[in-house]
Amino acid sequence: MAPVVAEWTRGPLVETLARGDAAVVDATGRLLFQVGDGQKVTFWRSAAKPIQALPVITSGAVDRFGLAPEHVAMMAASHNAEPVHVETVLEALRRAGLSPDLLQCGAHPPLDREAATALQAAGQEPGRVHSNCSGKHTGMLVLAKHLGLPLDDYLEPGSAVQQVILQCVARVTAVPAGEIAIGVDGCGVPVFGMPLRSMAFAYARLAAPEYLDDEYREAGRRMRDAMWTHPYLVAGRGRICTDLMSLPGRRFLGKSGAEGVYCVGLPPETVSLSPALRNSGAVGGVGIAMKAEDGRADVSYLMVVEILDQLGLLTAEDRAALARYGPGPITNYAGRVVGERRAVFELAPASN
């Protein structure tokens, strides 16, 4: 069982406990720190999106269809379906000569309340382009068209598109393809089960692309830079991915996944700012992967903020910008403080 990582108090009592695991890994694959079990196996969910999209770049599809960095960022997104997100997805499809009707991600209301209200007020039903995964599906369609593959089966695990993506995931995580558990994500595409340590390794390399295999090195750099340049497209208003990557200095590369998964990449320049990482002998970039055992996103967000803080990487200004996600007071509807949410774990050095 995962250890308790957070408590929610009310008055004199601890009202709620949350459990979780995390792994901190450098670009050579060495496990530096962990919370609970850094080898815990779970599904990567949408935190895998930046890696899933790399073949769209390596294949030449992005350049062939004239896709810009903002379109690349959208392929890694779990977006709010605010107008800017929808317009960016539609533009990518237009440039590739593809119809939104080809998207097989299903439809759901925009994650952003304001965008959902505006859509409803306009008398419109949510379409597939409003799915938070429409950017990822657009990338897969673009890849299929570029390779001359069928456009109607791109989400099937046995399709050529998904086999190319699986091989990329295997290479970047260093987990053999045959050892990756395959499930079905909420949007219908394959999802990958593997140890947190392997997810963190992928993010360490994505944050320091020079540690990727030659085939993926330039694509990794382009993906990383696109996410840093367009953090709003990766998520949107009121979302931790956007707020984390919008902090000054391009210090953090963050991506959420469903069911309490979160991954962060730290480039070498950020690693050098952490006494704990320097003392651990971290090489290159560093990746962090975490999983809230009960699948609560707010638990994984609190873990993100606390781990970065324990590594000595957050300034007072950073803490203020991330206050809604990290430890802090609990207020009632009248605005009165009635309790506290707090982290109750410490990163433990790994013995490897």
Side-chain angles (χ1 to χ4, degrees):
M1 181 181 292
V4 173
V5 294
E7 297 176 343
W8 275 252
T9 70
R10 187 172 298 272
L13 299 180
V14 174
E15 188 172 43
T16 302
L17 298 175
R19 299 177 181 274
D21 300 278
V24 181
V25 176
D26 74 5
T28 69
R30 189 163 63 93
L31 183 64
L32 307 175
F33 299 96
Q34 61 187 340
V35 177
D37 183 8
Q39 302 279 11
K40 182 183 182 72
V41 175
T42 190
F43 282 112
W44 208 355
R45 302 302 299 266
S46 286
K49 286 179 177 177
I51 310 304
Q52 287 172 287
L54 293 182
V56 192
I57 305 173
T58 59
S59 68
V62 165
D63 293 332
R64 173 185 172 186
F65 296 116
L67 301 183
E70 53 264 37
H71 304 122
V72 172
M74 282 301 300
M75 294 175 195
S78 297
H79 63 76
N80 275 346
E82 297 171 55
V84 66
H85 301 117
V86 173
E87 291 162 8
T88 305
V89 170
L90 290 175
E91 177 60 23
L93 289 166
R94 279 194 294 268
R95 292 192 184 193
L98 295 164
S99 167
D101 294 338
L102 293 167
L103 295 169
Q104 297 185 47
C105 47
H108 62 73
L111 298 182
D112 178 70
R113 183 177 299 178
E114 184 176 323
T117 299
L119 193 68
Q120 186 177 35
Q124 298 179 31
E125 291 293 324
R128 297 172 188 176
V129 73
H130 295 101
S131 165
N132 77 92
C133 294
S134 62
K136 173 175 69 175
H137 281 248
T138 293
M140 293 174 180
L141 279 169
V142 168
L143 178 61
K145 180 167 182 178
H146 176 66
L147 297 178
L149 299 170
L151 302 179
D152 59 354
D153 72 346
Y154 71 87
L155 48 58
E156 297 300 326
S159 70
V161 166
Q162 292 303 328
Q163 287 301 305
V164 168
I165 291 171
L166 176 61
Q167 292 305 316
C168 173
V169 168
R171 291 271 298 279
V172 174
T173 61
V175 179
E179 296 179 15
I180 296 175
I182 303 296
V184 179
D185 215 331
C187 65
V189 302
V191 62
F192 313 105
M194 64 181 66
L196 290 174
R197 178 178 186 167
S198 303
M199 302 175 198
F201 179 44
Y203 270 77
R205 302 173 87 188
L206 187 62
E210 60 270 26
Y211 287 87
L212 287 167
D213 296 349
D214 290 348
E215 180 182 355
Y216 298 108
R217 192 167 297 155
E218 177 61 14
R221 183 195 63 76
R222 291 174 69 175
M223 174 57 73
R224 179 198 65 180
D225 291 352
M227 293 172 70
W228 272 341
T229 304
H230 301 284
Y232 202 88
L233 294 179
V234 177
R237 178 168 41 217
R239 300 281 302 283
I240 188 173
C241 298
T242 293
D243 292 343
L244 184 66
M245 291 191 288
S246 295
L247 295 174
R250 293 189 168 188
R251 289 171 290 150
F252 310 114
L253 191 74
K255 184 67 189 71
S256 61
E259 296 301 321
V261 172
Y262 204 92
C263 291
V264 181
L266 310 177
E269 296 80 5
T270 302
V271 173
S272 69
L273 299 174
S274 167
L277 293 176
R278 292 199 307 270
N279 292 338
S280 73
V283 176
V286 164
I288 308 167
M290 60 213 74
K291 161 71 175 172
E293 188 167 271
D294 63 0
R296 283 175 51 185
D298 60 340
V299 176
S300 64
Y301 299 166
L302 187 148
M303 292 178 71
V304 171
V305 175
E306 179 65 18
I307 288 173
L308 294 177
D309 214 6
Q310 288 192 23
L311 292 174
L313 292 173
L314 297 183
T315 65
E317 292 76 16
D318 295 335
R319 293 188 201 96
L322 301 174
R324 64 184 296 179
Y325 309 110
I330 297 171
T331 57
N332 65 11
Y333 291 114
R336 294 176 55 192
V337 175
V338 296
E340 177 188 11
R341 61 182 185 275
R342 60 195 184 203
V344 293
F345 68 88
E346 291 187 9
L347 286 172
S351 60
N352 285 287

